[in-house]
Amino acid sequence: MDWGRGRYERIAGELLPVAASVIEAAGVQPGERVLDVGCGTGNAALLAAERGARVVGVDPAASLLELAAADAEDRGVEASFIEGTAGALPVADGGFDAVLSVFGVIFAPDADAAAAELARVTSPAGRIVVSAWLPGGVFTEAMKVRREAIGRVTGPNTGRPAAAWHDREAVAGLLGRFGFEVEVAVQSLEFTGASAGEYAEAELADHPMWVGARDLLEPAGAWPAVRDRVVELFAAANEDRDAFRVTSRYVLVTARRA
């Protein structure tokens, strides 16, 4: 999965309220050491830096790190951005008071390795805060359409199923072996636009997952049907008859050592 494809910076703008919620849940204080895992364009990292924290952002997409660094310069805050993955964080053991991830670590292909890394880099008295989508709603349905269409073209996915980072018991299983206790709080986020069709087309054009899917499906002639079905799903889910709005639920997972 190449998160540098498309225009993730537009998607990231929609997720800024979640980054603010993560920062609040973590209680980031001036002078604290903060790590943003899967930082993308730096939403949470920059908010933490604006609070006076000493911040490092890690992401596998070099193009997104460049955008984050440029934004930090524009805002006049200090933050370091380095290339790396959740399963092999390029930072020292126990170096951070708060380890954050806004819909980042949930996409790690090896959840066990990612959880071990989150635990490794968190200081003894530190905390981990992760946001994760709850299953259900139009985005889940659209991703199901994507997954099934790709499966028909390339064959079924035989890889490891994604970890349930939204589930308290599942996350307790991932982090409990390192002495962490886990709490989960349900939140919601609204996505808005001028119309359902316009929003769906922007999502299909900009989101890295859909850009990658189009590359696979267009040569097989399968893309038009998928595009039309996704537009239908967003139209059916629309909560605003005069424009476009859908509400998605997510959780904030907070983990601290017992």
Side-chain angles (χ1 to χ4, degrees):
M1 176 65 199
D2 183 356
W3 289 94
R5 303 287 305 278
R7 293 183 61 248
Y8 185 74
E9 57 269 29
R10 184 191 68 78
I11 311 295
E14 296 181 305
L15 303 179
L16 188 57
V18 182
S21 295
V22 167
I23 293 294
E24 287 298 327
V28 172
Q29 299 297 315
E32 286 194 311
R33 302 158 298 170
V34 174
L35 179 67
D36 185 3
V37 179
C39 65
T41 57
N43 277 352
L46 295 173
L47 290 175
E50 288 177 340
R51 287 191 171 203
R54 294 173 287 162
V55 180
V56 175
V58 175
D59 198 274
S63 60
L64 300 184
L65 295 174
E66 291 174 2
L67 291 173
D71 200 358
E73 184 174 357
D74 289 343
R75 298 190 195 191
V77 297
E78 292 188 8
S80 300
F81 296 98
I82 54 180
E83 196 168 339
T85 66
L89 294 169
V91 294
D93 295 357
F96 296 91
D97 304 299
V99 177
L100 317 176
S101 188
V102 181
F103 305 124
V105 72
I106 63 172
F107 293 105
D110 187 337
D112 288 326
E117 283 292 88
L118 296 182
R120 177 183 67 80
V121 303
T122 304
S123 67
R127 62 275 191 204
I128 298 168
V129 182
V130 172
S131 66
W133 296 114
L134 279 169
V138 66
F139 290 99
T140 296
E141 290 300 311
M143 285 296 111
K144 181 180 178 182
V145 170
R146 170 187 173 274
R147 183 175 63 253
E148 291 177 349
I150 291 174
R152 288 192 292 271
V153 171
T154 66
N157 182 5
T158 58
R160 179 184 303 188
W165 286 93
H166 62 277
D167 181 79
R168 196 194 73 81
E169 294 302 320
V171 182
L174 289 169
L175 292 173
R177 58 201 167 117
F178 304 106
F180 284 87
E181 294 183 346
V182 175
E183 297 179 355
V184 171
V186 178
Q187 307 282 335
S188 63
L189 176 67
E190 288 187 351
F191 295 88
T192 61
S195 70
E198 182 178 298
Y199 186 89
E201 291 291 354
E203 186 78 0
L204 293 169
D206 295 343
H207 199 292
M209 283 190 169
W210 284 113
V211 173
R214 187 175 67 238
D215 289 346
L216 289 170
L217 298 174
E218 271 188 335
W223 178 250
V226 168
R227 180 193 61 219
D228 291 347
R229 179 57 181 149
V230 170
V231 171
E232 289 175 358
L233 287 172
F234 277 94
N238 189 8
E239 301 165 7
D240 185 346
R241 61 185 176 183
D242 297 321
F244 174 74
R245 182 181 71 253
V246 295
T247 305
S248 291
R249 297 196 310 154
Y250 68 95
V251 297
L252 293 180
V253 179
T254 301
R256 300 176 185 270
R257 288 187 172 90

